[in-house]
Amino acid sequence: MSADVFPTGVLRQPGTVLFGPGERRHLPRLLAGIARHVLVVTDARMAGSAVFTDLVAAVEAEGLTVSVFSGTEPDLPRENALAVVREYGGAGVEALLAVGGGSCLDLAKVASAVLAHGGDVRDYYGEFLVPGPGLPVVTVPTTAGTGAEVTCVSVVFDRERGMKVGVASPHLEPYAAVIDPELTLTCPPALTAATAADALTHLVETFTDRVKDVTPEFLDRHLYVGKNPLTDIFCRSGLTLLNTSLEAVVADPSDIGARSATMLAAYNAGMAINTAGTAAAHAIQSPIGALTGTSHGFGVGALLPYVMRFNLPARVAEFAEIGRLLGAAAPGAAPMEQARAGISRVEELLETVGCPTDLRTLGLDPGDFSRVADQAMLATRLTANNPRDLTHASVVEILRRGYDNDRGWWSV
């Protein structure tokens, strides 16, 4: 069978994944197997919770020394990484436990590299620049959306450069991920909505990504290697889960079944983006977030309707399958009709969780369109994944349509 009939698959993943309500019970034994001194990376909200206190006590009861860094800030400023290394470099830390949202998980991953190899996190901006394995990291997400618990990428906001920069390396892959949906029960509604929009965007972008020729040389130089049969499995599973779980979580935030399904979908999305990578919505959101101060999840969600329409001519079959997966496509309808139905259903899901679906709501100024396009085109690690080639002009058009809430269908 030729590769054209059955293309090859590529997948990156942590060594261990534990999923389910209450599965944080495994953490003490899991950590005791790799370290005697553990640095817990979290934020102030989580550090002040009873569940966090109990978690730390359980790890200490296993005979481990536990230090806590609770200063993680949203959008992970570079200063947080500098602070961790300044406070704990040379302290004998042997492993990191990340408990929190995406910024906490990303901080632990980059800190593990800098603690192991020295220097500044800036030394590792880009792909494949981490020289070797860092300290082992165990991730415990408290939100359902970023996928950072299973990815080997961390995104850092560098204030001096005025932009977010990625550190991408297989050496950032977590040692283990412990995914306990009970930890999302206290997640604030706005954060639940933003992370859900992020997960949905991950799944749509990876399922419609560019397919690449993954030669040994290409795999050795690039973290994101495109859509393939293995990532598609995770996308199909995640989209199917979100199709019902998002509405259920909004209806009853205490529904642990719906929380579990949403978190499983977010894990599926993380597994997909870890190999295939995100694309236009993520490339364009970064400069918008820097300008408007809006959340990453709401930013990519607000862009998604217009990015989907831009990409539709190149991915009719994939969007049609999304339409069928989400139960929106009429059986026997033409592929383009099914594809448009899929896009419309994705938009309904975004609106269900309260995600804005236009850029005016984010506070973006039309006078900044060109500047945003300039910055987006610099994110070549992401733009290279988009199924249609992006240009400065096409990004500006996506922004214009998004600002005007123009849901017309694009043609090539």
Side-chain angles (χ1 to χ4, degrees):
M1 184 176 290
S2 72
D4 290 335
V5 176
F6 203 99
T8 57
V10 184
L11 197 66
R12 293 188 177 90
Q13 59 188 337
T16 298
V17 176
L18 296 167
F19 178 92
E23 287 301 271
R24 61 188 183 279
R25 63 183 174 160
H26 292 282
L27 283 168
R29 293 287 182 88
L30 184 63
L31 290 164
I34 57 174
R36 305 309 300 169
H37 183 182
V38 175
L39 172 61
V40 184
V41 176
T42 191
D43 57 25
R45 184 184 75 86
M46 189 65 198
S49 69
V51 69
F52 182 82
T53 301
D54 292 344
L55 190 154
V56 170
V59 174
E60 290 177 330
E62 196 68 24
L64 278 66
T65 299
V66 177
S67 299
V68 177
F69 178 86
S70 60
T72 312
E73 300 171 71
D75 295 319
L76 186 51
R78 168 176 165 261
E79 288 79 7
N80 284 177
L82 298 177
V84 170
V85 175
R86 183 173 61 249
E87 293 179 34
Y88 298 101
V93 170
E94 296 173 330
L96 291 90
L97 172 62
V99 183
S103 290
C104 296
L105 311 185
D106 279 358
L107 176 56
K109 289 185 288 186
V110 292
S112 78
V114 183
L115 287 169
H117 301 291
D120 186 305
V121 66
R122 280 179 172 168
D123 299 332
Y124 308 119
Y125 289 172
E127 289 187 86
F128 285 77
L129 295 180
V130 178
L135 302 180
V137 177
V138 176
T139 54
V140 183
T142 60
T143 64
T146 70
E149 65 270 18
V150 294
T151 64
C152 40
V153 175
S154 289
V155 179
V156 179
F157 179 62
D158 192 313
R159 284 195 177 95
E160 292 179 14
R161 301 188 182 190
M163 61 187 298
K164 291 182 178 180
V165 189
V167 178
S169 168
H171 294 307
L172 262 60
E173 191 70 65
Y175 170 80
V178 177
I179 307 170
D180 187 338
E182 290 179 352
L183 297 176
T184 67
L185 289 171
T186 58
C187 189
L191 187 56
T192 296
T195 52
D198 197 18
L200 183 58
T201 305
H202 288 162
L203 291 163
V204 171
E205 287 208 298
T206 20
F207 196 61
T208 57
D209 261 351
R210 188 179 297 251
V211 177
K212 301 178 182 179
D213 180 17
V214 187
T215 65
E217 294 76 18
F218 186 88
L219 187 62
D220 199 43
R221 296 194 310 270
H222 297 280
L223 197 70
Y224 290 159
V225 295
K227 165 189 173 70
N228 65 77
L230 295 179
T231 61
D232 282 353
I233 292 171
F234 287 99
C235 290
R236 293 186 180 103
S237 174
L239 286 165
T240 303
L241 287 163
L242 288 185
N243 193 41
T244 55
S245 70
L246 290 185
E247 292 169 338
V249 164
V250 170
D252 181 6
S254 66
D255 183 343
I256 190 62
R259 288 282 190 180
S260 297
T262 302
M263 205 165 199
L264 183 58
Y267 158 75
N268 276 287
M271 290 295 294
I273 64 172
N274 200 30
T275 302
T278 54
H282 279 70
I284 301 169
Q285 184 280 326
S286 182
I288 291 176
L291 284 169
T292 64
T294 49
S295 75
H296 171 78
F298 279 167
V300 293
L303 281 159
L304 189 57
Y306 314 99
V307 169
M308 288 191 294
R309 282 167 167 74
F310 174 75
N311 287 331
L312 174 58
R315 283 293 180 266
V316 174
E318 286 79 3
F319 280 114
E321 184 171 355
I322 289 174
R324 296 190 295 273
L325 288 168
L326 300 183
M336 181 60 80
E337 184 179 337
Q338 291 188 332
R340 290 179 175 180
I343 289 173
S344 295
R345 177 57 180 161
V346 170
E347 292 168 350
E348 288 177 5
L349 291 174
L350 291 169
E351 290 163 354
T352 293
V353 298
C355 178
T357 51
D358 69 272
L359 302 183
R360 190 189 302 257
T361 302
L362 297 183
L364 182 64
D365 189 314
D368 288 322
F369 286 179
S370 183
R371 177 183 174 187
V372 168
D374 286 339
Q375 291 294 310
M377 293 304 295
L378 295 176
T380 54
R381 182 170 54 89
L382 306 182
T383 59
N385 299 322
N386 206 64
R388 282 187 69 189
D389 289 339
L390 287 166
T391 64
H392 183 280
S394 62
V395 172
V396 169
E397 182 63 10
I398 289 170
L399 294 171
R400 185 195 66 76
R401 292 188 182 224
Y403 187 83
D404 292 338
N405 196 16
D406 179 352
R407 306 289 182 91
W409 298 105
W410 293 49
S411 59
V412 177

